[in-house]
Amino acid sequence: MSLNITLINTSDLGGASKSCQRLFWGLLSSNFSSSLLLLNNHSLDHDFVRSFMKEGPQFLSNSKLARLKRGANRLWKEMQIRQFYSNQPRSFSPHISRFDLTYHPAYQKADILNLHWVSHFLDFPSFFTKNNKPIVWTLHDMFPFTGGYHYDEDENISSHVSYLRKQEKLKEKWYQDQKIIFVAPSKWMYNEARSSAVLQGKAILHIPYGVDTQLYRPLDQGFCRNILRIQNPRLPVILFVAQNIRDKRKGFSYLVEALKQIKEPICLLAVGKKPRKSFKNHLPPGSQEYYVGTITDEALMSIIYNTADLFVIPSLQDNLPNTVLESLACGTPVVGFQVGGIPDMVNNGENGFLAPLRSSESLFEAIELGINNKWDRNQISIWAKTNFSLEKQAKAYIKLFKRIAS
């Protein structure tokens, strides 16, 4: 049976995009016909990766009337977006866009669509009116079943409750006649989707993300520390990734307060945006801190994970963070809160510790346990490879695609 699958994502950047790309490469490695359609493609160079912004306009009618209609439609939608959405936090996305991806050949040639993070790309009203293809929608966050927020922690502080409920009703209507299956990467997201009013009666499955275990694997720690020029090899190295420290959901303030309670000197290794204030004054005397900036090279990230003795993720709500999978695949234990999909990956005392309470004290205690525990890094990596390989993820999706086609 020959099937053409088109994976659709807004960009080639970000955590959801990374997960989407990993599934794409996993399908191709399994010799399964797939293409990836992106609104914006900054760096991916592959025959089966298509960019809507670069290619889309050429597939539209170029008559004067058609151009005028598209221009009027675009202005109307942009006015709508500015009127309400511009005052919303970053974690809020509109259900409308000025794009119609059904014009693109990657859409038209597809037997099955695999939607991923499609905010600002997918125009819900026009897409679900025109679409007649089966859909598999991978739930990277809650946006497909909320009124516009990507996580309900942000929705709980919204003053536009009536508007959000209206948007949820519209989503129920848009999905009603669609042949659509939702896939949750974490058990937590699976349960959230199952309990949502928007997805009542819809098929929801659980398929975890995969991680490239050839790239993310145990390396010699001394070699990795030499590359990063860690000066004191005797200090325990604690790693954290701070791509967006202003996002309260990422729990950065809890990490700051937890680190203040550590008594023995440590080496703090940070990836991402540097905080305005240094941690140095909050760490024990003799501690060191290293900021390596934003890292896009995955081979270098593997070296960074292998440098660390412990990876700390203080997220207050998260799906199935790639950083946790990557750390475990490298054999580096993880500490985080017992929230979201993190318990799917972290087993207390085996490959990390979970802080049971959402407090800096609880996080500190878990960090202390993590520093003082004797870890079997090879076993941690083997467990990650067994449960979260790209091959395992691709096999589950291929089975699903074939079931839909039959």
Side-chain angles (χ1 to χ4, degrees):
M1 179 188 300
S2 177
L3 287 175
N4 291 313
I5 311 298
T6 295
L7 292 78
I8 301 173
N9 200 72
T10 299
S11 172
D12 61 332
L13 304 176
S17 177
K18 181 185 285 187
S19 300
C20 173
Q21 290 174 48
R22 286 175 176 169
L23 174 58
F24 174 60
W25 302 128
L27 293 174
L28 290 182
S29 297
S30 301
N31 297 315
F32 202 78
S33 179
S34 308
S35 62
L36 174 58
L37 177 59
L38 303 168
L39 174 62
N40 296 301
N41 181 18
H42 301 85
S43 60
L44 294 180
D45 184 16
H46 193 281
D47 290 343
F48 298 131
V49 176
R50 311 294 293 272
S51 172
F52 187 88
M53 286 298 285
K54 293 178 181 177
E55 304 172 9
Q58 65 179 297
F59 305 114
L60 302 179
S61 170
N62 204 35
S63 71
K64 186 175 181 179
L65 179 60
R67 292 201 308 271
L68 286 172
K69 284 183 176 179
R70 288 199 300 272
N73 184 53
R74 182 170 64 249
L75 286 173
W76 177 73
K77 286 185 175 179
E78 287 179 350
M79 286 175 62
Q80 280 189 300
I81 292 170
R82 290 194 186 112
Q83 183 178 2
F84 178 78
Y85 301 108
S86 60
N87 295 322
Q88 300 304 312
R90 184 181 177 185
S91 61
F92 186 93
S93 292
H95 300 114
I96 57 176
S97 83
R98 59 188 180 90
F99 307 107
D100 186 347
L101 60 82
T102 62
Y103 283 108
H104 199 283
Y107 168 86
Q108 295 173 354
K109 294 177 181 178
D111 295 306
I112 299 173
L113 304 174
N114 181 203
L115 301 183
H116 287 262
W117 202 95
V118 291
S119 299
H120 307 286
F121 187 11
L122 188 74
D123 182 60
F124 280 62
S126 64
F127 175 80
F128 287 111
T129 299
K130 296 179 180 181
N131 180 63
N132 60 2
K133 298 177 183 290
I135 298 171
V136 172
W137 198 334
T138 302
L139 299 174
H140 297 287
D141 55 34
M142 296 177 170
F143 175 73
F145 56 88
T146 69
Y149 284 93
H150 290 269
Y151 283 91
D152 61 6
E153 281 234 339
D154 299 311
E155 183 174 318
N156 291 336
I157 62 172
S158 174
S159 59
H160 302 278
V161 175
S162 61
Y163 175 85
L164 297 174
R165 298 294 87 82
K166 180 181 177 182
Q167 295 303 303
E168 289 175 4
K169 289 294 183 182
L170 283 173
K171 282 187 173 177
E172 288 183 53
K173 180 181 177 182
W174 288 325
Y175 300 161
Q176 187 173 6
D177 298 322
Q178 297 290 317
K179 187 177 181 181
I180 183 169
I181 294 175
F182 295 89
V183 176
S186 68
K187 295 173 185 175
W188 168 76
M189 185 62 74
Y190 173 82
N191 290 327
E192 291 294 318
R194 292 260 301 179
S195 63
S196 76
V198 174
L199 301 187
Q200 287 300 307
K202 291 296 181 183
I204 304 169
L205 304 177
H206 170 230
I207 302 177
Y209 291 147
V211 63
D212 187 344
T213 53
Q214 295 298 314
L215 181 61
Y216 292 97
R217 57 189 175 86
L219 302 172
D220 182 78
Q221 192 174 67
F223 170 76
C224 294
R225 291 187 177 185
N226 284 335
I227 291 177
L228 296 182
R229 299 179 180 178
I230 302 295
Q231 296 175 356
N232 189 341
R234 293 189 299 275
L235 293 182
V237 176
I238 296 178
L239 169 68
F240 79 98
V241 178
Q243 299 295 358
N244 185 12
I245 60 177
R246 295 181 182 179
D247 186 347
K248 291 183 178 180
R249 186 176 56 83
K250 295 299 184 180
F252 182 70
S253 61
Y254 288 86
L255 176 62
V256 173
E257 293 303 314
L259 292 176
K260 287 180 182 179
Q261 301 176 57
I262 294 177
K263 300 295 188 292
E264 299 297 324
I266 62 169
C267 174
L268 186 64
L269 178 60
V271 175
K273 295 180 180 179
K274 186 175 182 179
R276 293 179 181 177
K277 295 182 180 180
S278 170
F279 275 113
K280 204 67 178 290
N281 295 333
H282 303 309
L283 299 177
S287 295
Q288 300 173 352
E289 58 178 348
Y290 293 85
Y291 291 93
V292 295
T294 299
I295 304 297
T296 57
D297 185 286
E298 294 204 73
L300 180 54
M301 272 307 304
S302 179
I303 289 172
I304 290 170
Y305 285 118
N306 276 281
T307 297
D309 294 297
L310 195 67
F311 171 58
V312 180
I313 177 169
S315 294
L316 305 179
Q317 192 177 48
D318 224 329
N319 192 359
L320 198 77
N322 285 309
T323 51
V324 175
L325 293 179
E326 292 161 1
S327 180
L328 295 176
C330 291
T332 303
V334 176
V335 161
F337 288 116
Q338 193 169 325
V339 297
I342 295 176
D344 291 8
M345 302 173 282
V346 178
N347 302 310
N348 267 325
E350 295 179 14
N351 59 3
F353 285 103
L354 294 170
L357 303 176
R358 204 164 92 167
S359 68
S360 58
E361 290 79 11
S362 184
L363 185 61
F364 157 70
E365 290 170 2
I367 292 172
E368 284 279 277
L369 288 171
I371 291 174
N372 295 319
N373 199 61
K374 300 296 182 182
W375 300 104
D376 187 335
R377 296 177 69 101
N378 284 326
Q379 279 302 118
I380 291 175
S381 178
I382 290 170
W383 183 87
K385 185 174 183 178
T386 302
N387 291 278
F388 298 101
S389 69
L390 292 182
E391 295 79 11
K392 185 173 183 177
Q393 181 194 27
K395 185 176 180 180
Y397 270 90
I398 290 170
K399 183 178 179 181
L400 173 59
F401 294 145
K402 288 182 176 179
R403 191 183 87 193
I404 293 171
S406 63

